[in-house]
Amino acid sequence: MSAESTSNAPRCPRCSHYYITYDPSFPYGCRILGFKSRNTPEKEVQGASGLPCQSFAEKAASKR
């Protein structure tokens, strides 16, 4: 994987659908795809489909 494709790949912590669960066995979740996992959802999607997540939606910038 090249550095360019890695920098443009969807990253779960920047996605509005990503959340941290209260389940210690499955600490990461994706609301739109409807699952929890031990790895970040981006890794699960990449491993299952071979493609980057197609449901990625950038979080809105917070006002501080």
Side-chain angles (χ1 to χ4, degrees):
M1 202 182 270
S2 69
E4 183 179 315
S5 65
T6 304
S7 65
N8 293 334
R11 303 291 302 182
C12 287
R14 295 187 339 227
C15 182
S16 62
H17 307 299
Y18 175 74
Y19 69 103
I20 303 296
T21 72
Y22 288 99
D23 186 346
S25 299
F26 301 100
Y28 308 108
C30 178
R31 288 184 181 93
I32 199 157
L33 297 177
F35 71 90
K36 299 186 289 185
S37 68
R38 290 179 188 217
N39 297 314
T40 58
E42 69 188 274
K43 290 180 183 175
E44 295 291 333
V45 170
Q46 180 75 35
S49 69
L51 298 170
C53 183
Q54 302 297 301
S55 301
F56 178 78
E58 190 82 32
K59 286 182 182 177
S62 63
K63 296 178 183 178
R64 285 189 173 195

CSV table of all heavy atoms in Angstrom, one decimal:
chain,number,residue,atom,x,y,z
A,1,MET,N,0.8,-1.2,0.0
A,1,MET,CA,0.0,0.0,0.0
A,1,MET,C,0.9,1.2,0.0
A,1,MET,O,1.8,1.3,0.8
A,1,MET,CB,-0.9,0.0,1.3
A,1,MET,CG,-2.1,0.8,1.1
A,1,MET,SD,-3.1,0.8,2.6
A,1,MET,CE,-4.1,-0.6,2.4
A,2,SER,N,0.6,2.2,-0.8
A,2,SER,CA,1.4,3.4,-0.9
A,2,SER,C,1.0,4.4,0.2
A,2,SER,O,0.0,4.3,0.8
A,2,SER,CB,1.3,4.0,-2.3
A,2,SER,OG,0.0,4.6,-2.4
A,3,ALA,N,1.9,5.3,0.5
A,3,ALA,CA,1.7,6.3,1.5
A,3,ALA,C,0.5,7.2,1.1
A,3,ALA,O,-0.3,7.6,2.0
A,3,ALA,CB,2.9,7.2,1.7
A,4,GLU,N,0.3,7.4,-0.2
A,4,GLU,CA,-0.8,8.3,-0.6
A,4,GLU,C,-2.1,7.6,-0.4
A,4,GLU,O,-3.1,8.2,0.1
A,4,GLU,CB,-0.6,8.6,-2.1
A,4,GLU,CG,-1.7,9.5,-2.7
A,4,GLU,CD,-1.5,9.8,-4.2
A,4,GLU,OE1,-0.4,10.0,-4.6
A,4,GLU,OE2,-2.5,9.7,-4.9
A,5,SER,N,-2.3,6.3,-0.7
A,5,SER,CA,-3.5,5.6,-0.5
A,5,SER,C,-3.8,5.4,1.0
A,5,SER,O,-5.0,5.4,1.4
A,5,SER,CB,-3.5,4.3,-1.2
A,5,SER,OG,-2.6,3.4,-0.6
A,6,THR,N,-2.8,5.3,1.8
A,6,THR,CA,-3.0,5.2,3.3
A,6,THR,C,-3.5,6.5,3.9
A,6,THR,O,-4.4,6.5,4.7
A,6,THR,CB,-1.7,4.8,4.0
A,6,THR,OG1,-1.2,3.6,3.4
A,6,THR,CG2,-1.8,4.6,5.4
A,7,SER,N,-3.0,7.6,3.4
A,7,SER,CA,-3.4,8.9,4.0
A,7,SER,C,-4.8,9.3,3.6
A,7,SER,O,-5.5,10.0,4.3
A,7,SER,CB,-2.4,10.0,3.5
A,7,SER,OG,-2.5,10.2,2.1
A,8,ASN,N,-5.3,8.8,2.4
A,8,ASN,CA,-6.7,9.1,2.0
A,8,ASN,C,-7.7,8.0,2.4
A,8,ASN,O,-8.9,8.2,2.1
A,8,ASN,CB,-6.7,9.2,0.4
A,8,ASN,CG,-5.9,10.4,-0.1
A,8,ASN,OD1,-5.8,11.3,0.7
A,8,ASN,ND2,-5.4,10.3,-1.3
A,9,ALA,N,-7.2,6.9,3.0
A,9,ALA,CA,-8.1,5.9,3.4
A,9,ALA,C,-9.0,6.3,4.6
A,9,ALA,O,-8.6,7.1,5.4
A,9,ALA,CB,-7.3,4.7,3.9
A,10,PRO,N,-10.3,5.9,4.6
A,10,PRO,CA,-11.2,6.2,5.7
A,10,PRO,C,-10.6,5.8,7.0
A,10,PRO,O,-10.2,4.6,7.1
A,10,PRO,CB,-12.5,5.5,5.4
A,10,PRO,CG,-12.4,5.1,4.0
A,10,PRO,CD,-10.9,5.0,3.6
A,11,ARG,N,-10.6,6.6,8.0
A,11,ARG,CA,-10.2,6.3,9.4
A,11,ARG,C,-11.4,6.4,10.3
A,11,ARG,O,-12.0,7.4,10.4
A,11,ARG,CB,-9.1,7.2,9.8
A,11,ARG,CG,-7.8,7.3,8.9
A,11,ARG,CD,-7.1,6.0,8.9
A,11,ARG,NE,-6.7,5.7,10.3
A,11,ARG,CZ,-5.9,4.7,10.7
A,11,ARG,NH1,-5.5,3.9,9.8
A,11,ARG,NH2,-5.6,4.5,11.9
A,12,CYS,N,-11.7,5.3,11.0
A,12,CYS,CA,-12.9,5.2,11.8
A,12,CYS,C,-13.0,6.4,12.8
A,12,CYS,O,-14.1,6.9,13.0
A,12,CYS,CB,-12.9,3.9,12.5
A,12,CYS,SG,-13.4,2.5,11.4
A,13,PRO,N,-12.0,6.7,13.6
A,13,PRO,CA,-12.2,7.8,14.5
A,13,PRO,C,-12.6,9.2,13.9
A,13,PRO,O,-13.2,10.0,14.6
A,13,PRO,CB,-10.8,8.0,15.2
A,13,PRO,CG,-10.2,6.6,15.1
A,13,PRO,CD,-10.7,6.1,13.7
A,14,ARG,N,-12.4,9.3,12.6
A,14,ARG,CA,-12.9,10.5,11.9
A,14,ARG,C,-14.3,10.4,11.4
A,14,ARG,O,-14.8,11.3,10.8
A,14,ARG,CB,-11.9,10.9,10.8
A,14,ARG,CG,-10.5,11.3,11.3
A,14,ARG,CD,-9.6,11.8,10.3
A,14,ARG,NE,-10.0,11.4,8.9
A,14,ARG,CZ,-9.1,10.9,8.0
A,14,ARG,NH1,-7.9,10.8,8.3
A,14,ARG,NH2,-9.5,10.6,6.8
A,15,CYS,N,-14.9,9.2,11.5
A,15,CYS,CA,-16.2,8.9,10.9
A,15,CYS,C,-17.3,9.2,11.9
A,15,CYS,O,-17.2,8.9,13.1
A,15,CYS,CB,-16.2,7.5,10.4
A,15,CYS,SG,-17.8,7.0,9.6
A,16,SER,N,-18.4,9.7,11.4
A,16,SER,CA,-19.6,10.0,12.2
A,16,SER,C,-20.3,8.7,12.7
A,16,SER,O,-21.1,8.8,13.6
A,16,SER,CB,-20.6,10.9,11.5
A,16,SER,OG,-21.0,10.3,10.3
A,17,HIS,N,-20.1,7.6,12.0
A,17,HIS,CA,-20.8,6.4,12.4
A,17,HIS,C,-20.0,5.5,13.4
A,17,HIS,O,-20.6,4.6,13.9
A,17,HIS,CB,-21.0,5.5,11.1
A,17,HIS,CG,-21.7,6.2,10.0
A,17,HIS,ND1,-22.9,6.7,10.1
A,17,HIS,CD2,-21.3,6.6,8.8
A,17,HIS,CE1,-23.3,7.3,9.0
A,17,HIS,NE2,-22.3,7.3,8.2
A,18,TYR,N,-18.8,5.9,13.7
A,18,TYR,CA,-17.9,5.1,14.6
A,18,TYR,C,-18.3,5.4,16.0
A,18,TYR,O,-18.6,6.6,16.4
A,18,TYR,CB,-16.5,5.5,14.3
A,18,TYR,CG,-15.5,5.0,15.2
A,18,TYR,CD1,-15.1,3.6,15.2
A,18,TYR,CD2,-14.8,5.7,16.2
A,18,TYR,CE1,-14.1,3.1,16.0
A,18,TYR,CE2,-13.8,5.2,17.0
A,18,TYR,CZ,-13.5,3.9,16.9
A,18,TYR,OH,-12.5,3.4,17.7
A,19,TYR,N,-18.2,4.4,16.9
A,19,TYR,CA,-18.4,4.6,18.3
A,19,TYR,C,-17.7,3.6,19.1
A,19,TYR,O,-17.3,2.6,18.6
A,19,TYR,CB,-19.9,4.6,18.7
A,19,TYR,CG,-20.6,3.3,18.6
A,19,TYR,CD1,-20.9,2.5,19.7
A,19,TYR,CD2,-21.0,2.7,17.3
A,19,TYR,CE1,-21.5,1.3,19.6
A,19,TYR,CE2,-21.6,1.5,17.2
A,19,TYR,CZ,-21.9,0.8,18.4
A,19,TYR,OH,-22.5,-0.4,18.2
A,20,ILE,N,-17.4,3.9,20.4
A,20,ILE,CA,-16.8,3.0,21.3
A,20,ILE,C,-17.9,2.4,22.1
A,20,ILE,O,-18.8,3.1,22.7
A,20,ILE,CB,-15.8,3.8,22.3
A,20,ILE,CG1,-14.8,4.5,21.5
A,20,ILE,CG2,-15.2,2.8,23.3
A,20,ILE,CD1,-13.8,3.6,20.7
A,21,THR,N,-17.9,1.1,22.2
A,21,THR,CA,-19.0,0.3,22.9
A,21,THR,C,-18.6,0.2,24.4
A,21,THR,O,-17.5,0.5,24.8
A,21,THR,CB,-19.2,-1.1,22.3
A,21,THR,OG1,-18.1,-1.9,22.7
A,21,THR,CG2,-19.3,-1.0,20.8
A,22,TYR,N,-19.5,-0.3,25.2
A,22,TYR,CA,-19.3,-0.6,26.6
A,22,TYR,C,-18.9,-2.1,26.8
A,22,TYR,O,-18.8,-2.6,27.9
A,22,TYR,CB,-20.5,-0.3,27.5
A,22,TYR,CG,-20.7,1.2,27.6
A,22,TYR,CD1,-21.6,1.9,26.8
A,22,TYR,CD2,-20.0,1.9,28.5
A,22,TYR,CE1,-21.8,3.2,27.0
A,22,TYR,CE2,-20.2,3.3,28.7
A,22,TYR,CZ,-21.1,3.9,27.9
A,22,TYR,OH,-21.3,5.3,28.0
A,23,ASP,N,-18.8,-2.8,25.7
A,23,ASP,CA,-18.5,-4.3,25.7
A,23,ASP,C,-17.0,-4.5,25.6
A,23,ASP,O,-16.4,-4.2,24.6
A,23,ASP,CB,-19.2,-4.9,24.5
A,23,ASP,CG,-19.1,-6.4,24.5
A,23,ASP,OD1,-18.3,-7.0,25.3
A,23,ASP,OD2,-19.9,-7.1,23.8
A,24,PRO,N,-16.4,-4.9,26.7
A,24,PRO,CA,-14.9,-5.1,26.7
A,24,PRO,C,-14.5,-6.1,25.6
A,24,PRO,O,-13.3,-6.0,25.1
A,24,PRO,CB,-14.5,-5.5,28.1
A,24,PRO,CG,-15.8,-5.6,28.9
A,24,PRO,CD,-16.9,-5.3,28.0
A,25,SER,N,-15.3,-7.1,25.3
A,25,SER,CA,-14.9,-8.1,24.2
A,25,SER,C,-14.9,-7.5,22.8
A,25,SER,O,-14.2,-8.0,22.0
A,25,SER,CB,-15.9,-9.3,24.3
A,25,SER,OG,-15.8,-9.9,25.6
A,26,PHE,N,-15.8,-6.5,22.6
A,26,PHE,CA,-16.0,-5.9,21.3
A,26,PHE,C,-16.0,-4.4,21.5
A,26,PHE,O,-17.1,-3.8,21.5
A,26,PHE,CB,-17.2,-6.4,20.6
A,26,PHE,CG,-17.3,-7.9,20.4
A,26,PHE,CD1,-18.0,-8.7,21.3
A,26,PHE,CD2,-16.5,-8.5,19.4
A,26,PHE,CE1,-18.0,-10.1,21.1
A,26,PHE,CE2,-16.5,-9.9,19.2
A,26,PHE,CZ,-17.2,-10.7,20.1
A,27,PRO,N,-14.9,-3.7,21.6
A,27,PRO,CA,-14.9,-2.3,22.0
A,27,PRO,C,-15.2,-1.3,20.9
A,27,PRO,O,-15.5,-0.1,21.2
A,27,PRO,CB,-13.5,-2.1,22.6
A,27,PRO,CG,-12.7,-3.1,21.9
A,27,PRO,CD,-13.6,-4.3,21.7
A,28,TYR,N,-15.2,-1.7,19.7
A,28,TYR,CA,-15.4,-0.7,18.6
A,28,TYR,C,-16.6,-1.1,17.8
A,28,TYR,O,-16.9,-2.2,17.5
A,28,TYR,CB,-14.2,-0.7,17.6
A,28,TYR,CG,-12.9,-0.6,18.3
A,28,TYR,CD1,-12.0,-1.6,18.5
A,28,TYR,CD2,-12.5,0.6,18.9
A,28,TYR,CE1,-10.8,-1.5,19.2
A,28,TYR,CE2,-11.3,0.8,19.6
A,28,TYR,CZ,-10.5,-0.3,19.7
A,28,TYR,OH,-9.3,-0.2,20.4
A,29,GLY,N,-17.4,0.0,17.4
A,29,GLY,CA,-18.6,-0.3,16.6
A,29,GLY,C,-18.8,0.7,15.5
A,29,GLY,O,-18.2,1.7,15.4
A,30,CYS,N,-19.7,0.2,14.6
A,30,CYS,CA,-20.1,1.0,13.4
A,30,CYS,C,-21.6,1.1,13.4
A,30,CYS,O,-22.2,0.0,13.3
A,30,CYS,CB,-19.5,0.5,12.1
A,30,CYS,SG,-20.1,1.4,10.7
A,31,ARG,N,-22.2,2.2,13.5
A,31,ARG,CA,-23.6,2.4,13.6
A,31,ARG,C,-24.3,2.0,12.2
A,31,ARG,O,-25.3,1.4,12.2
A,31,ARG,CB,-24.1,3.8,14.0
A,31,ARG,CG,-23.8,4.0,15.5
A,31,ARG,CD,-24.3,5.4,15.9
A,31,ARG,NE,-24.0,5.6,17.3
A,31,ARG,CZ,-23.0,6.2,17.8
A,31,ARG,NH1,-22.1,6.7,17.0
A,31,ARG,NH2,-22.8,6.3,19.1
A,32,ILE,N,-23.7,2.5,11.2
A,32,ILE,CA,-24.3,2.3,9.8
A,32,ILE,C,-24.3,0.9,9.4
A,32,ILE,O,-25.2,0.4,8.7
A,32,ILE,CB,-23.8,3.3,8.8
A,32,ILE,CG1,-24.7,3.4,7.6
A,32,ILE,CG2,-22.4,3.0,8.3
A,32,ILE,CD1,-24.7,4.7,6.8
A,33,LEU,N,-23.2,0.2,9.6
A,33,LEU,CA,-23.0,-1.2,9.2
A,33,LEU,C,-23.6,-2.1,10.3
A,33,LEU,O,-23.8,-3.3,10.0
A,33,LEU,CB,-21.6,-1.5,8.9
A,33,LEU,CG,-21.0,-0.7,7.7
A,33,LEU,CD1,-19.5,-1.1,7.6
A,33,LEU,CD2,-21.7,-1.0,6.5
A,34,GLY,N,-23.8,-1.6,11.5
A,34,GLY,CA,-24.5,-2.4,12.5
A,34,GLY,C,-23.7,-3.5,13.1
A,34,GLY,O,-24.3,-4.6,13.3
A,35,PHE,N,-22.5,-3.3,13.4
A,35,PHE,CA,-21.7,-4.3,14.1
A,35,PHE,C,-20.7,-3.8,15.1
A,35,PHE,O,-20.4,-2.6,15.0
A,35,PHE,CB,-21.0,-5.3,13.1
A,35,PHE,CG,-19.8,-4.6,12.4
A,35,PHE,CD1,-18.5,-4.7,12.9
A,35,PHE,CD2,-20.0,-4.0,11.2
A,35,PHE,CE1,-17.5,-4.2,12.2
A,35,PHE,CE2,-19.0,-3.4,10.5
A,35,PHE,CZ,-17.7,-3.5,11.0
A,36,LYS,N,-20.2,-4.6,16.0
A,36,LYS,CA,-19.2,-4.3,17.0
A,36,LYS,C,-18.1,-5.3,16.7
A,36,LYS,O,-18.3,-6.4,16.2
A,36,LYS,CB,-19.7,-4.5,18.4
A,36,LYS,CG,-20.8,-3.6,18.8
A,36,LYS,CD,-21.2,-3.7,20.2
A,36,LYS,CE,-21.8,-5.0,20.6
A,36,LYS,NZ,-22.3,-5.1,22.0
A,37,SER,N,-16.8,-4.9,17.0
A,37,SER,CA,-15.7,-5.8,16.7
A,37,SER,C,-14.5,-5.6,17.7
A,37,SER,O,-14.5,-4.6,18.4
A,37,SER,CB,-15.2,-5.7,15.3
A,37,SER,OG,-14.6,-4.5,15.1
A,38,ARG,N,-13.6,-6.5,17.7
A,38,ARG,CA,-12.4,-6.3,18.5
A,38,ARG,C,-11.4,-5.3,17.8
A,38,ARG,O,-10.6,-4.7,18.4
A,38,ARG,CB,-11.7,-7.6,18.7
A,38,ARG,CG,-12.5,-8.5,19.6
A,38,ARG,CD,-11.8,-9.9,19.7
A,38,ARG,NE,-12.7,-10.7,20.5
A,38,ARG,CZ,-12.3,-11.6,21.4
A,38,ARG,NH1,-11.0,-11.8,21.6
A,38,ARG,NH2,-13.1,-12.3,22.0
A,39,ASN,N,-11.5,-5.3,16.5
A,39,ASN,CA,-10.6,-4.4,15.7
A,39,ASN,C,-11.5,-3.2,15.2
A,39,ASN,O,-12.7,-3.3,15.3
A,39,ASN,CB,-10.1,-5.1,14.4
A,39,ASN,CG,-9.2,-6.2,14.7
A,39,ASN,OD1,-8.3,-6.1,15.6
A,39,ASN,ND2,-9.4,-7.3,14.1
A,40,THR,N,-10.8,-2.1,14.8
A,40,THR,CA,-11.6,-1.0,14.3
A,40,THR,C,-12.4,-1.5,13.1
A,40,THR,O,-12.0,-2.3,12.3
A,40,THR,CB,-10.7,0.2,13.9
A,40,THR,OG1,-9.8,-0.2,12.9
A,40,THR,CG2,-10.1,0.8,15.1
A,41,PRO,N,-13.6,-1.0,12.9
A,41,PRO,CA,-14.5,-1.4,11.7
A,41,PRO,C,-13.8,-1.3,10.4
A,41,PRO,O,-14.0,-2.1,9.5
A,41,PRO,CB,-15.7,-0.5,11.8
A,41,PRO,CG,-15.8,-0.2,13.3
A,41,PRO,CD,-14.4,-0.1,13.8
A,42,GLU,N,-12.9,-0.2,10.2
A,42,GLU,CA,-12.2,-0.1,8.9
A,42,GLU,C,-11.4,-1.3,8.6
A,42,GLU,O,-11.3,-1.8,7.5
A,42,GLU,CB,-11.3,1.1,8.9
A,42,GLU,CG,-10.1,1.0,9.9
A,42,GLU,CD,-9.3,2.3,10.1
A,42,GLU,OE1,-8.4,2.5,9.2
A,42,GLU,OE2,-9.6,3.0,11.0
A,43,LYS,N,-10.8,-1.9,9.6
A,43,LYS,CA,-10.0,-3.2,9.4
A,43,LYS,C,-10.9,-4.3,9.1
A,43,LYS,O,-10.5,-5.2,8.3
A,43,LYS,CB,-9.1,-3.5,10.6
A,43,LYS,CG,-8.0,-2.4,10.8
A,43,LYS,CD,-7.2,-2.8,12.0
A,43,LYS,CE,-6.1,-1.7,12.3
A,43,LYS,NZ,-5.4,-2.0,13.5
A,44,GLU,N,-12.0,-4.4,9.7
A,44,GLU,CA,-12.9,-5.5,9.5
A,44,GLU,C,-13.5,-5.5,8.1
A,44,GLU,O,-13.6,-6.4,7.4
A,44,GLU,CB,-14.1,-5.5,10.5
A,44,GLU,CG,-13.6,-5.8,11.9
A,44,GLU,CD,-13.2,-7.2,12.2
A,44,GLU,OE1,-13.6,-8.1,11.5
A,44,GLU,OE2,-12.4,-7.4,13.1
A,45,VAL,N,-13.9,-4.3,7.6
A,45,VAL,CA,-14.4,-4.1,6.3
A,45,VAL,C,-13.4,-4.4,5.2
A,45,VAL,O,-13.6,-5.1,4.3
A,45,VAL,CB,-15.0,-2.6,6.1
A,45,VAL,CG1,-15.4,-2.3,4.7
A,45,VAL,CG2,-16.2,-2.5,7.0
A,46,GLN,N,-12.2,-3.9,5.4
A,46,GLN,CA,-11.1,-4.1,4.5
A,46,GLN,C,-10.8,-5.6,4.4
A,46,GLN,O,-10.6,-6.1,3.3
A,46,GLN,CB,-9.8,-3.3,4.9
A,46,GLN,CG,-8.6,-3.5,4.0
A,46,GLN,CD,-8.7,-2.7,2.8
A,46,GLN,OE1,-9.3,-1.6,2.8
A,46,GLN,NE2,-8.2,-3.2,1.7
A,47,GLY,N,-10.8,-6.3,5.5
A,47,GLY,CA,-10.5,-7.7,5.5
A,47,GLY,C,-11.6,-8.5,4.9
A,47,GLY,O,-11.3,-9.5,4.2
A,48,ALA,N,-12.8,-8.1,5.0
A,48,ALA,CA,-13.9,-8.9,4.5
A,48,ALA,C,-14.1,-8.7,3.0
A,48,ALA,O,-14.4,-9.6,2.3
A,48,ALA,CB,-15.2,-8.6,5.3
A,49,SER,N,-14.0,-7.4,2.6
A,49,SER,CA,-14.4,-7.1,1.2
A,49,SER,C,-13.1,-6.8,0.3
A,49,SER,O,-13.2,-6.8,-0.9
A,49,SER,CB,-15.3,-5.8,1.2
A,49,SER,OG,-14.6,-4.7,1.6
A,50,GLY,N,-12.0,-6.5,1.0
A,50,GLY,CA,-10.8,-6.1,0.2
A,50,GLY,C,-10.9,-4.6,-0.3
A,50,GLY,O,-10.0,-4.2,-1.0
A,51,LEU,N,-11.9,-3.9,0.1
A,51,LEU,CA,-12.1,-2.5,-0.3
A,51,LEU,C,-12.2,-1.6,1.0
A,51,LEU,O,-12.6,-2.1,2.0
A,51,LEU,CB,-13.4,-2.3,-1.1
A,51,LEU,CG,-13.5,-3.1,-2.4
A,51,LEU,CD1,-15.0,-3.0,-2.9
A,51,LEU,CD2,-12.6,-2.5,-3.4
A,52,PRO,N,-11.8,-0.4,0.8
A,52,PRO,CA,-12.0,0.6,2.0
A,52,PRO,C,-13.5,0.8,2.2
A,52,PRO,O,-14.3,0.5,1.3
A,52,PRO,CB,-11.3,1.9,1.5
A,52,PRO,CG,-11.1,1.7,0.1
A,52,PRO,CD,-11.2,0.3,-0.3
A,53,CYS,N,-13.8,1.2,3.4
A,53,CYS,CA,-15.2,1.4,3.8
A,53,CYS,C,-15.9,2.4,2.8
A,53,CYS,O,-15.4,3.5,2.6
A,53,CYS,CB,-15.3,1.9,5.2
A,53,CYS,SG,-17.0,2.1,5.8
A,54,GLN,N,-17.1,2.0,2.3
A,54,GLN,CA,-17.8,2.8,1.4
A,54,GLN,C,-18.9,3.6,2.1
A,54,GLN,O,-19.5,4.5,1.5
A,54,GLN,CB,-18.5,1.9,0.4
A,54,GLN,CG,-17.6,1.0,-0.4
A,54,GLN,CD,-16.6,1.8,-1.3
A,54,GLN,OE1,-17.1,2.6,-2.1
A,54,GLN,NE2,-15.4,1.6,-1.1
A,55,SER,N,-19.0,3.5,3.4
A,55,SER,CA,-20.0,4.2,4.3
A,55,SER,C,-19.4,5.3,5.1
A,55,SER,O,-20.0,5.9,5.9
A,55,SER,CB,-20.7,3.2,5.2
A,55,SER,OG,-21.3,2.2,4.5
A,56,PHE,N,-18.1,5.6,4.9
A,56,PHE,CA,-17.4,6.6,5.6
A,56,PHE,C,-18.1,8.0,5.4
A,56,PHE,O,-18.4,8.4,4.3
A,56,PHE,CB,-15.9,6.7,5.2
A,56,PHE,CG,-15.1,7.8,5.9
A,56,PHE,CD1,-14.7,7.6,7.2
A,56,PHE,CD2,-14.9,9.0,5.3
A,56,PHE,CE1,-14.0,8.6,7.8
A,56,PHE,CE2,-14.2,10.0,5.9
A,56,PHE,CZ,-13.7,9.8,7.2
A,57,ALA,N,-18.3,8.7,6.6
A,57,ALA,CA,-18.8,10.0,6.5
A,57,ALA,C,-18.1,10.9,7.6
A,57,ALA,O,-18.1,10.6,8.8
A,57,ALA,CB,-20.3,10.0,6.9
A,58,GLU,N,-17.3,11.9,7.1
A,58,GLU,CA,-16.5,12.7,7.9
A,58,GLU,C,-17.3,13.4,9.0
A,58,GLU,O,-18.4,13.9,8.8
A,58,GLU,CB,-15.8,13.8,7.1
A,58,GLU,CG,-14.8,14.6,7.8
A,58,GLU,CD,-13.4,13.9,7.9
A,58,GLU,OE1,-13.1,13.1,6.9
A,58,GLU,OE2,-12.7,14.1,8.8
A,59,LYS,N,-16.8,13.4,10.3
A,59,LYS,CA,-17.5,14.1,11.4
A,59,LYS,C,-17.5,15.5,11.1
A,59,LYS,O,-16.6,16.1,10.5
A,59,LYS,CB,-16.8,13.8,12.7
A,59,LYS,CG,-16.9,12.5,13.3
A,59,LYS,CD,-16.2,12.4,14.6
A,59,LYS,CE,-16.3,11.0,15.2
A,59,LYS,NZ,-15.6,10.9,16.4
A,60,ALA,N,-18.5,16.2,11.6
A,60,ALA,CA,-18.6,17.7,11.5
A,60,ALA,C,-17.6,18.3,12.4
A,60,ALA,O,-17.3,17.7,13.5
A,60,ALA,CB,-20.0,18.2,11.9
A,61,ALA,N,-17.0,19.3,12.0
A,61,ALA,CA,-16.0,20.0,12.8
A,61,ALA,C,-16.6,20.6,14.1
A,61,ALA,O,-17.7,21.2,14.0
A,61,ALA,CB,-15.3,21.1,12.0
A,62,SER,N,-16.0,20.3,15.2
A,62,SER,CA,-16.5,20.9,16.5
A,62,SER,C,-16.2,22.3,16.6
A,62,SER,O,-15.1,22.8,16.2
A,62,SER,CB,-15.9,20.1,17.6
A,62,SER,OG,-14.6,20.2,17.7
A,63,LYS,N,-17.1,23.1,17.2
A,63,LYS,CA,-16.9,24.5,17.5
A,63,LYS,C,-16.3,24.7,18.9
A,63,LYS,O,-17.0,24.3,19.8
A,63,LYS,CB,-18.2,25.3,17.3
A,63,LYS,CG,-18.7,25.2,15.9
A,63,LYS,CD,-20.0,25.9,15.8
A,63,LYS,CE,-20.6,25.8,14.4
A,63,LYS,NZ,-21.9,26.5,14.3
A,64,ARG,N,-15.1,25.2,19.0
A,64,ARG,CA,-14.5,25.4,20.3
A,64,ARG,C,-14.1,26.8,20.5
A,64,ARG,O,-13.9,27.6,19.6
A,64,ARG,CB,-13.3,24.6,20.5
A,64,ARG,CG,-13.7,23.1,20.7
A,64,ARG,CD,-12.5,22.3,21.0
A,64,ARG,NE,-12.9,21.0,21.4
A,64,ARG,CZ,-12.2,20.1,22.0
A,64,ARG,NH1,-11.0,20.4,22.4
A,64,ARG,NH2,-12.7,19.0,22.3
